Amino acid sequence: MSRNLTTTTAIYAFDKNTEPAMKVKSGETVTIETYDCFTNQITSEHTKMTELNWDQINPATGPIYIEEAEPGDILKVKIDELKIGERGVMLTGKNQGVLGDYFDEFDVKIFPIEEDYAVFDENLKIPLNRMIGVIGVAPEDEPVNCGTPGPHGGNMDTKLITEGATLYFPVSAPGALFATGDFHAAMGDGEISVSGIEVPGEVTVTFEVIKQHTISHPLLENEDGIAFLVSAETLDEAAKTAVREMVDFLHPHTDLSLSHLTMLMSAAGQTQISQIVDPLVTARFFVPRYVLDAYGIQLFQQK
Ligand code: CA
Ligand code: ZN
C-alpha cells in the first residue's frame, strides 16, 4: 500500500538539517501532492506580480527520509505515476528568461488542461509532456533553494523527468531527504520564458537505496536510454561535465579502449540542453539503450 504526503509539508530549500516530513524504508512507494511553482498563488491572468509572496516560489513537498540511505549511497527513485491539475500557468516578463530585456512588465497566461493537451488559444492545443521540474535530495553543504539545480538535483527542469523514468541521486545526508515539486504540463528544452506550463499535481514514486556505488551527478534512465543531468554556471561546463561523467561511468563496464569509447559516444551519444534560465543551467548527455544492451551493461548491480 502506498503512503501519502500532502502540500502541508512544502519546503523552499533542500537542506540536510530540515526535519523529515515522513520516514520510509527502501522499497516503499509514496504518493506526493505538490503545489505549482507559484504555490498556487496565481489564480487568474489579472493576478498582479506585486501581489505575490516571492518567498513562496518553487515549493517542493517533503523531505522524505529513506531509512537505509547514507552519504555515499545512491537513491533510486522510480516515477510510477504522474498526475497533473486541470489548469496551467505560464509567466514571463522583465528580467525573466532569455528575452527578459524585451519586456517592461510581467505577463501571465492561464492554460486549460484537457486529457492530452494544454489549450494555448483557439488555434492551437499543445500536446502534453507531463514532467517534473524540481526533484532531488539534500545537498552535502549549505542549503540550496528549490529554484537552483545542482549535483543534488533540485530545479533541473529536464523534460525527460516523466512518468516511467527513474532517477539516481548521490546521497549526501543521512536519509537522503528527498523532495519534489514544480510539475509542468509541457515544457520545451531550454524553458526559455523561465516557466513551463506550471501545474499542481500528484506523483507516485518508489524508493530504493543502492549501496556500494557512488555517482557525482543525477542520472536518469528511461526506456530509450540513460542521461547524466549536470548543472553549472555555463552550458559549456554543464555539457562537457555530463560527457565526462558518462564516459567515466561506462568505461569500467566495457572492454573498449578510452579512445574507442569516446568515438562511440561521439557517434551515438547526444549532448542536449535541459534549461538555460535558472540560476545554474542544466545540460545532459544521453546514451541510447542499444549501446547498453550491446555490452550487457546493467546499472548499479549490487556486488
Ligand atoms: Ca522549474
Ligand atoms: Zn516550473
Side-chain angles (χ1 to χ4, degrees):
M1 220 189 73
S2 93
R3 300 167 65 187
N4 287 282
L5 195 62
T6 67
T7 50
T8 51
T9 63
I11 56 170
Y12 293 89
F14 286 88
D15 179 354
K16 64 184 175 189
N17 295 315
T18 304
E19 201 57 39
M22 177 185 271
K23 287 194 174 186
V24 301
K25 289 198 165 65
S26 181
E28 278 199 79
T29 298
V30 182
T31 297
I32 303 164
E33 184 186 298
T34 65
Y35 291 121
D36 72 18
C37 73
F38 308 109
T39 316
N40 301 359
Q41 293 181 88
I42 298 179
T43 51
S44 86
E45 293 184 348
H46 306 293
T47 300
K48 294 263 181 308
M49 290 306 106
T50 49
E51 292 167 11
L52 295 190
N53 180 349
W54 288 91
D55 294 334
Q56 291 187 3
I57 298 297
N58 282 311
T61 307
I64 297 175
Y65 185 103
I66 297 94
E67 288 188 7
E68 293 81 352
E70 295 169 303
D73 294 342
I74 291 171
L75 180 66
K76 176 180 181 181
V77 182
K78 168 102 198 306
I79 302 173
D80 300 317
E81 190 176 22
L82 181 59
K83 294 185 192 167
I84 59 170
E86 289 168 357
R87 203 198 55 175
V89 181
M90 288 195 87
L91 170 131
T92 196
K94 190 175 182 179
N95 300 330
Q96 302 294 313
V98 176
L99 303 181
D101 58 319
Y102 281 29
F103 303 107
D104 293 323
E105 292 178 6
F106 277 93
D107 201 8
V108 169
K109 184 167 167 53
I110 303 281
F111 292 69
I113 309 285
E114 298 179 350
E115 198 168 348
D116 297 319
Y117 299 94
V119 180
F120 188 77
D121 58 21
E122 64 276 18
N123 298 312
L124 180 66
K125 293 177 173 185
I126 299 172
L128 293 186
N129 167 37
R130 293 171 293 124
M131 54 155 282
I132 295 176
V134 172
I135 185 166
V137 297
E140 190 173 355
D141 301 315
E142 295 299 298
V144 177
N145 71 65
C146 292
T148 302
H152 70 293
N155 194 17
M156 297 185 289
D157 286 318
T158 296
K159 73 179 187 187
L160 303 183
I161 306 177
T162 59
E163 183 174 295
T166 297
L167 282 155
Y168 300 86
F169 294 102
V171 175
S172 298
L177 298 175
F178 173 87
T180 185
D182 184 30
F183 298 177
H184 300 157
M187 187 200 92
D189 278 331
E191 201 189 22
I192 64 112
S193 91
V194 88
S195 81
I197 301 179
E198 307 291 337
V199 282
E202 195 182 273
V203 68
T204 302
V205 296
T206 301
F207 300 108
E208 188 186 323
V209 175
I210 298 173
K211 302 281 183 186
Q212 302 169 323
H213 293 272
T214 297
I215 45 175
S216 303
H217 293 271
L219 177 70
L220 179 140
E221 179 183 19
N222 63 19
E223 256 178 28
D224 302 328
I226 61 173
F228 271 103
L229 313 179
V230 176
S231 302
E233 298 272 341
T234 66
L235 267 181
D236 250 23
E237 190 189 341
K240 287 176 182 174
T241 303
V243 170
R244 287 169 183 271
E245 288 292 313
M246 186 63 79
V247 167
D248 292 348
F249 176 73
L250 291 179
H251 196 215
H253 287 286
T254 74
D255 294 328
L256 297 174
S257 67
L258 190 55
S259 55
H260 280 186
L261 177 59
T262 303
M263 291 178 207
L264 173 58
M265 292 297 100
S266 190
Q270 309 288 330
T271 301
Q272 299 170 336
I273 293 170
S274 288
Q275 58 79 21
I276 53 173
V277 293
D278 293 330
L280 297 178
V281 298
T282 306
R284 57 187 190 262
F285 189 70
F286 178 84
V287 172
R289 186 160 291 281
Y290 69 79
V291 171
L292 307 180
D293 291 345
Y295 296 98
I297 297 172
Q298 310 253 351
L299 302 183
F300 311 120
Q301 274 187 315
Q302 305 282 314
K303 287 164 201 156

